[in-house]
Amino acid sequence: MRVLVRRCWGSRPAGGGPDARPTPQWRALAGLGASPGGEDGRGVRVREKPPWRVLFFGTDQFAREALRALHAARENKEEELIEKLEVVTVPSPSPKGLPVKQYAVQSQLPVYEWPDVGSGEYDVGVVASFGRLLSEALILKFPYGILNVHPSCLPRWRGPAPIIHTVLHGDTVTGVTIMQIRPKRFDVGPILKQETVPVPPKSTAKELEAVLSRLGANMLISVLKNLPESLSNGRQQPTEGVTHAPKISAGTSCIKWEEQTSEQIFRLYRAIGNIIPLQTLWMDNAIKLLELVEVNSSILTDPKLTGQPVIPGSVIYHKQSQILLVCCKDGWIGVRSVMFKKMLTATDFYNGYLHPWYQKDSRARPSQCRFQTLTLPTKKKQENKIVAMQQCIK
């Protein structure tokens, strides 16, 4: 049954005068207390329909697409959906700033750097890939609360890296959820809108992000067109099927040849390869594997391979294909280029390092030339660098 917009705000208290203001029912659904002094705590009367005044919180390319859609809606004077649009982002090690800041500056939108959120009046907040917990006091400043555009089908993949974990775990279906922000915890608020899409086979996290960012932007505009009704129809997240998507660390990129199958290694490559290259150890030196390729059946039947013992980490150069063949738990993967002091093709690596190694010991078997699992020390500085790389990837 359709709920009338006015139902979203409840009824006026008995004996209330003209200045008495209703308490939005969505606050209870989102686990928030009533705001002091009226809808937004500042004595400002709430708008019951567009155009909305929006404060946007975001950082990366996924968030940039949502901001682009909001800006386009503001520029569309006929529809009158967005009246005011301002932006909050986070500091960046890049002089140009993160993608959201770049877009905001190019579009001449007011930009604040967290924790500065400006002092203007807004109807609703929107968050996409922001990575900061928002306080209850901040959420209550918005009469309609704060919406979150999250690239997964919540409650699956709560957390800061849902797209990476979708690819990493081989999910065949994903989606976008528009939900309400709750204080103190990430991605647990009521769901306002959710749509699913198939995950294209062998897609990278970056490719999937492009698909989901467009879907999320369209869904956000749809929710804003019917905001009071969307809020009144919000539903709590299921308690079943909860999974978490933590940030990746440098250690995630280290291949475990004895434990991981070829499929798992390729998922890892597609999930994080454009953020941080996969890494391994060769002769006590760290090597980054830049480009991985699947090994076709003709190579797998090569006598040079079939005659070798299956020892995880073994490295063989396949001259016809000009790739390195590396043995893993259940087969072989191909490597076309590496970073070892500088970027090298597989042929360069063979001529400069593998071939001389064989020449030093002509009796050595190819299986003795092995990649091994690289173990990295836990360093806070290194973790911060990976987070910065994830933000600046676009």
Side-chain angles (χ1 to χ4, degrees):
M1 181 177 70
R2 292 178 66 87
V3 181
L4 296 178
V5 171
R6 62 176 181 270
R7 284 286 306 279
C8 156
W9 302 105
S11 57
R12 293 184 184 275
D19 292 329
R21 292 181 173 86
T23 299
Q25 292 180 4
W26 68 262
R27 296 191 191 278
L29 184 64
L32 298 167
S35 58
E39 291 96 323
D40 62 359
R42 294 170 293 178
V44 178
R45 187 171 295 279
V46 171
R47 298 184 179 189
E48 295 186 0
K49 61 181 181 179
W52 308 120
R53 296 163 296 180
V54 178
L55 183 61
F56 181 82
F57 301 77
T59 56
D60 62 12
Q61 192 71 22
F62 178 84
R64 181 188 182 278
E65 185 65 19
L67 178 60
R68 184 204 60 75
L70 291 171
H71 183 240
R74 193 195 71 161
E75 295 297 297
N76 185 348
K77 302 304 181 183
E78 295 181 1
E79 192 168 15
E80 295 187 340
L81 180 63
I82 307 294
E83 176 184 294
K84 180 169 89 170
L85 179 60
E86 298 184 356
V87 177
V88 178
T89 188
V90 299
S92 165
S94 169
K96 294 182 179 180
L98 299 174
V100 160
K101 182 176 181 179
Q102 293 175 27
Y103 182 86
V105 170
Q106 292 167 5
S107 304
Q108 299 182 325
L109 297 173
V111 183
Y112 308 99
E113 275 201 354
W114 180 263
D116 183 9
V117 297
S119 57
E121 294 180 354
Y122 312 97
D123 301 301
V124 63
V126 174
V127 167
S129 299
F130 191 60
R132 300 292 190 276
L133 282 172
L134 307 185
S135 68
E136 181 170 351
L138 175 59
I139 298 171
L140 288 174
K141 287 183 178 181
F142 298 85
Y144 288 92
I146 301 180
L147 312 181
N148 181 22
V149 186
H150 186 82
S152 81
C153 291
L154 292 172
R156 185 164 179 78
W157 301 133
R158 291 175 177 170
I163 299 177
I164 287 175
H165 285 271
T166 295
V167 175
L168 186 61
H169 290 81
D171 290 6
T172 58
V173 176
T174 186
V176 174
T177 304
I178 309 293
M179 54 160 285
Q180 289 178 269
I181 290 289
R182 274 185 174 175
K184 301 180 182 178
R185 292 178 62 194
F186 284 113
D187 307 325
V188 298
I191 294 171
L192 308 184
K193 189 177 182 66
Q194 189 173 83
E195 293 185 14
T196 62
V197 292
V199 178
K202 300 181 182 179
S203 64
T204 66
K206 188 172 184 179
E207 293 166 343
L208 185 58
E209 179 188 62
V211 173
L212 297 180
S213 66
R214 292 189 292 269
L215 174 62
N218 293 335
M219 291 170 60
L220 173 63
I221 297 301
S222 174
V223 168
L224 289 174
K225 287 180 179 178
N226 302 282
L227 183 57
E229 183 177 359
S230 295
L231 290 169
S232 67
N233 291 332
R235 59 184 174 87
Q236 298 290 358
Q237 293 186 29
T239 56
E240 307 83 25
V242 176
T243 59
H244 297 277
K247 295 174 183 176
I248 65 165
S249 65
T252 308
S253 67
C254 298
I255 300 176
K256 301 175 177 64
W257 301 105
E258 296 83 1
E259 300 175 17
Q260 292 176 305
T261 65
S262 58
E263 175 62 24
Q264 289 172 329
I265 293 171
F266 277 113
R267 285 181 191 168
L268 181 63
Y269 173 65
R270 293 193 292 266
I272 69 170
N274 62 324
I275 301 173
I276 177 172
L278 304 193
Q279 300 184 82
T280 190
L281 192 68
W282 185 74
M283 301 298 167
D284 296 325
N285 294 290
I287 292 182
K288 295 178 179 179
L289 309 183
L290 301 181
E291 184 180 0
L292 271 60
V293 294
E294 294 187 1
V295 180
N296 62 45
S297 57
S298 62
I299 296 176
L300 293 174
T301 56
D302 190 317
K304 190 174 183 180
L305 278 187
T306 56
Q308 294 299 323
V310 180
I311 301 178
S314 298
V315 187
I316 298 174
Y317 176 66
H318 194 263
K319 186 175 182 180
Q320 289 77 10
S321 302
Q322 297 184 331
I323 61 174
L324 299 174
L325 299 172
V326 189
C327 183
C328 56
K329 182 179 179 180
D330 69 339
W332 299 82
I333 66 166
V335 179
R336 201 178 295 282
S337 61
V338 303
M339 177 68 74
F340 185 52
K341 301 180 181 178
K342 62 179 182 179
M343 192 172 76
L344 302 169
T345 65
T347 302
D348 292 335
F349 184 74
Y350 171 75
N351 290 333
Y353 298 98
L354 289 185
H355 186 60
W357 181 84
Y358 285 125
Q359 286 184 322
K360 286 182 181 179
D361 187 357
S362 59
R363 294 176 298 176
R365 296 177 59 84
S367 59
Q368 293 177 261
C369 181
R370 297 177 56 199
F371 284 162
Q372 296 178 316
T373 299
L374 174 65
T375 303
L376 296 175
T378 302
K379 294 181 180 179
K380 189 69 177 177
K381 182 177 179 181
Q382 189 176 50
E383 292 175 357
N384 291 339
K385 181 179 178 182
I386 298 302
V387 172
M389 289 173 69
Q390 290 180 71
Q391 293 176 334
C392 296
I393 177 178
K394 319 307 182 290

Coordinates of all heavy atoms in Angstrom, one line a residue, residues 62 149-154 156-157 162-163 166 171-178 193-200 208-209 211-213 215-216 219:
F62 N 33.8 6.3 -8.1 CA 32.4 5.8 -7.8 C 31.5 7.0 -7.3 O 30.4 7.2 -7.8 CB 32.4 4.6 -6.8 CG 31.0 4.1 -6.5 CD1 30.4 3.2 -7.3 CD2 30.3 4.6 -5.4 CE1 29.1 2.8 -7.0 CE2 29.1 4.2 -5.1 CZ 28.4 3.3 -5.9
V149 N 25.0 5.7 -0.9 CA 25.0 4.9 -2.1 C 26.1 3.9 -2.0 O 27.3 4.2 -2.1 CB 25.3 5.8 -3.4 CG1 25.1 5.0 -4.6 CG2 24.4 7.0 -3.4
H150 N 25.7 2.6 -1.8 CA 26.7 1.6 -1.5 C 26.7 0.5 -2.6 O 25.6 -0.1 -2.9 CB 26.3 0.9 -0.1 CG 27.3 -0.1 0.4 ND1 28.5 0.3 1.0 CD2 27.4 -1.5 0.2 CE1 29.2 -0.8 1.3 NE2 28.5 -1.9 0.8
P151 N 27.9 0.2 -3.1 CA 27.9 -0.7 -4.3 C 28.0 -2.2 -3.9 O 28.9 -2.9 -4.2 CB 29.2 -0.3 -5.0 CG 30.1 0.2 -3.9 CD 29.2 0.8 -2.9
S152 N 26.9 -2.7 -3.2 CA 26.7 -4.1 -3.0 C 25.2 -4.3 -2.6 O 24.5 -3.3 -2.4 CB 27.6 -4.6 -1.9 OG 27.1 -4.3 -0.6
C153 N 24.8 -5.5 -2.6 CA 23.5 -5.9 -2.1 C 23.5 -6.1 -0.6 O 23.7 -7.3 -0.2 CB 22.9 -7.1 -2.9 SG 22.6 -6.8 -4.6
L154 N 23.5 -5.1 0.2 CA 23.5 -5.2 1.6 C 22.4 -6.2 2.1 O 21.3 -6.2 1.5 CB 23.3 -3.8 2.3 CG 24.5 -2.9 2.1 CD1 24.1 -1.5 2.6 CD2 25.8 -3.4 2.7
R156 N 25.2 -8.1 2.3 CA 26.5 -8.6 1.8 C 27.5 -7.5 1.5 O 27.1 -6.5 0.9 CB 26.2 -9.5 0.6 CG 27.5 -10.2 0.1 CD 27.1 -11.3 -0.9 NE 28.3 -12.0 -1.4 CZ 28.9 -13.0 -0.8 NH1 28.6 -13.3 0.4 NH2 30.0 -13.6 -1.3
W157 N 28.7 -7.7 2.0 CA 29.8 -6.8 1.7 C 29.6 -5.4 2.3 O 29.7 -4.4 1.6 CB 30.2 -6.7 0.3 CG 30.5 -8.0 -0.4 CD1 30.1 -8.5 -1.5 CD2 31.4 -9.0 0.2 NE1 30.6 -9.8 -1.8 CE2 31.4 -10.1 -0.7 CE3 32.2 -9.1 1.3 CZ2 32.2 -11.3 -0.5 CZ3 32.9 -10.3 1.6 CH2 32.9 -11.3 0.7
P162 N 33.6 -3.1 -1.0 CA 32.7 -4.1 -1.5 C 32.9 -4.6 -2.9 O 32.8 -5.8 -3.2 CB 31.3 -3.4 -1.4 CG 31.7 -1.9 -1.4 CD 33.0 -1.8 -0.8
I163 N 33.3 -3.7 -3.8 CA 33.6 -4.1 -5.2 C 34.8 -5.0 -5.3 O 34.7 -6.1 -6.0 CB 33.7 -2.9 -6.1 CG1 32.5 -2.0 -6.1 CG2 34.0 -3.3 -7.5 CD1 32.6 -0.7 -6.9
T166 N 33.7 -8.4 -4.0 CA 32.8 -9.0 -5.0 C 33.6 -9.8 -6.0 O 33.3 -11.0 -6.3 CB 31.9 -8.0 -5.6 OG1 31.0 -7.4 -4.6 CG2 31.0 -8.6 -6.7
D171 N 31.7 -13.6 -6.9 CA 30.3 -13.4 -6.9 C 29.8 -13.3 -8.3 O 30.4 -12.6 -9.2 CB 29.9 -12.1 -6.1 CG 30.1 -12.3 -4.6 OD1 30.6 -13.3 -4.2 OD2 29.7 -11.4 -3.9
T172 N 28.7 -13.9 -8.6 CA 28.1 -13.8 -10.0 C 27.0 -12.7 -10.0 O 26.6 -12.3 -11.1 CB 27.5 -15.1 -10.4 OG1 26.5 -15.5 -9.4 CG2 28.6 -16.2 -10.5
V173 N 26.5 -12.3 -8.9 CA 25.5 -11.2 -8.8 C 25.9 -10.2 -7.8 O 26.4 -10.5 -6.7 CB 24.1 -11.8 -8.4 CG1 23.1 -10.7 -8.3 CG2 23.6 -12.8 -9.5
T174 N 25.7 -8.9 -8.1 CA 26.0 -7.8 -7.2 C 24.9 -6.8 -7.4 O 23.8 -7.1 -7.9 CB 27.4 -7.3 -7.4 OG1 27.7 -6.3 -6.3 CG2 27.6 -6.6 -8.7
G175 N 25.1 -5.6 -6.9 CA 24.1 -4.5 -7.1 C 24.5 -3.3 -6.3 O 25.7 -3.1 -5.9
V176 N 23.5 -2.4 -6.2 CA 23.7 -1.2 -5.4 C 22.5 -1.0 -4.4 O 21.4 -1.4 -4.7 CB 23.7 0.0 -6.4 CG1 23.8 1.4 -5.6 CG2 24.9 0.0 -7.3
T177 N 22.9 -0.5 -3.3 CA 21.9 -0.3 -2.2 C 21.9 1.2 -1.9 O 22.9 1.8 -1.6 CB 22.2 -1.1 -1.0 OG1 22.2 -2.5 -1.3 CG2 21.1 -0.9 0.1
I178 N 20.7 1.8 -1.9 CA 20.5 3.2 -1.3 C 20.0 3.0 0.1 O 18.9 2.4 0.3 CB 19.6 4.1 -2.1 CG1 20.0 4.1 -3.6 CG2 19.6 5.5 -1.5 CD1 21.3 4.7 -3.9
K193 N 16.3 1.5 -1.3 CA 16.2 1.0 -2.7 C 17.3 0.1 -2.9 O 18.4 0.4 -2.5 CB 16.2 2.2 -3.7 CG 15.8 1.7 -5.1 CD 15.8 3.0 -6.0 CE 15.4 2.6 -7.5 NZ 14.0 2.1 -7.6
Q194 N 17.1 -1.0 -3.6 CA 18.2 -2.0 -3.9 C 17.9 -2.6 -5.3 O 16.8 -3.1 -5.6 CB 18.2 -3.1 -2.9 CG 19.5 -4.0 -3.0 CD 19.6 -4.9 -1.7 OE1 18.9 -5.9 -1.7 NE2 20.4 -4.5 -0.8
E195 N 18.9 -2.7 -6.1 CA 18.8 -3.3 -7.4 C 20.0 -4.2 -7.7 O 21.1 -3.9 -7.2 CB 18.7 -2.3 -8.6 CG 17.5 -1.4 -8.5 CD 17.3 -0.5 -9.7 OE1 18.1 -0.7 -10.7 OE2 16.5 0.4 -9.7
T196 N 19.8 -5.3 -8.4 CA 20.9 -6.3 -8.6 C 21.2 -6.3 -10.1 O 20.4 -5.9 -10.9 CB 20.5 -7.7 -8.2 OG1 19.3 -8.1 -9.0 CG2 20.1 -7.7 -6.7
V197 N 22.5 -6.7 -10.4 CA 23.0 -6.8 -11.7 C 23.9 -8.0 -11.7 O 24.6 -8.3 -10.7 CB 23.7 -5.6 -12.2 CG1 22.8 -4.4 -12.4 CG2 24.9 -5.2 -11.3
P198 N 24.0 -8.7 -12.9 CA 25.0 -9.8 -13.0 C 26.4 -9.2 -13.0 O 26.6 -8.1 -13.6 CB 24.6 -10.5 -14.3 CG 23.9 -9.5 -15.1 CD 23.2 -8.6 -14.1
V199 N 27.4 -10.0 -12.5 CA 28.8 -9.6 -12.6 C 29.3 -10.1 -13.9 O 29.3 -11.4 -14.1 CB 29.6 -10.1 -11.4 CG1 31.1 -9.8 -11.6 CG2 29.0 -9.6 -10.1
P200 N 29.8 -9.3 -14.8 CA 30.3 -9.8 -16.1 C 31.5 -10.7 -15.9 O 32.3 -10.5 -15.0 CB 30.7 -8.5 -16.8 CG 29.9 -7.4 -16.2 CD 29.8 -7.8 -14.8
L208 N 33.9 -3.2 -13.1 CA 32.6 -3.4 -12.3 C 32.2 -2.1 -11.6 O 31.0 -1.7 -11.6 CB 32.8 -4.5 -11.3 CG 31.5 -4.9 -10.5 CD1 30.4 -5.3 -11.5 CD2 31.8 -6.0 -9.5
E209 N 33.2 -1.3 -11.1 CA 32.9 -0.1 -10.5 C 32.2 0.9 -11.5 O 31.3 1.6 -11.1 CB 34.2 0.6 -10.0 CG 34.0 1.9 -9.3 CD 35.3 2.6 -9.0 OE1 36.1 2.9 -10.0 OE2 35.6 2.9 -7.8
V211 N 30.3 0.1 -13.9 CA 28.9 -0.3 -14.1 C 28.0 0.1 -12.9 O 26.9 0.7 -13.0 CB 28.8 -1.8 -14.3 CG1 27.4 -2.3 -14.3 CG2 29.5 -2.2 -15.6
L212 N 28.5 -0.2 -11.7 CA 27.8 0.1 -10.5 C 27.7 1.6 -10.2 O 26.7 2.0 -9.6 CB 28.4 -0.6 -9.3 CG 28.4 -2.1 -9.4 CD1 29.1 -2.7 -8.1 CD2 27.0 -2.7 -9.6
S213 N 28.6 2.4 -10.6 CA 28.6 3.8 -10.3 C 27.4 4.5 -11.1 O 26.7 5.3 -10.6 CB 29.9 4.5 -10.7 OG 30.2 4.4 -12.0
L215 N 24.7 2.8 -12.2 CA 23.5 2.3 -11.6 C 23.2 3.1 -10.3 O 22.0 3.5 -10.1 CB 23.6 0.8 -11.3 CG 22.5 0.1 -10.6 CD1 21.2 0.2 -11.4 CD2 22.8 -1.3 -10.2
G216 N 24.2 3.2 -9.5 CA 23.9 3.9 -8.2 C 23.5 5.4 -8.4 O 22.6 5.9 -7.6
M219 N 19.9 5.4 -9.4 CA 19.0 5.0 -8.2 C 18.9 6.2 -7.2 O 17.8 6.4 -6.7 CB 19.6 3.7 -7.5 CG 19.5 2.5 -8.4 SD 20.4 1.1 -7.6 CE 19.6 0.9 -6.0

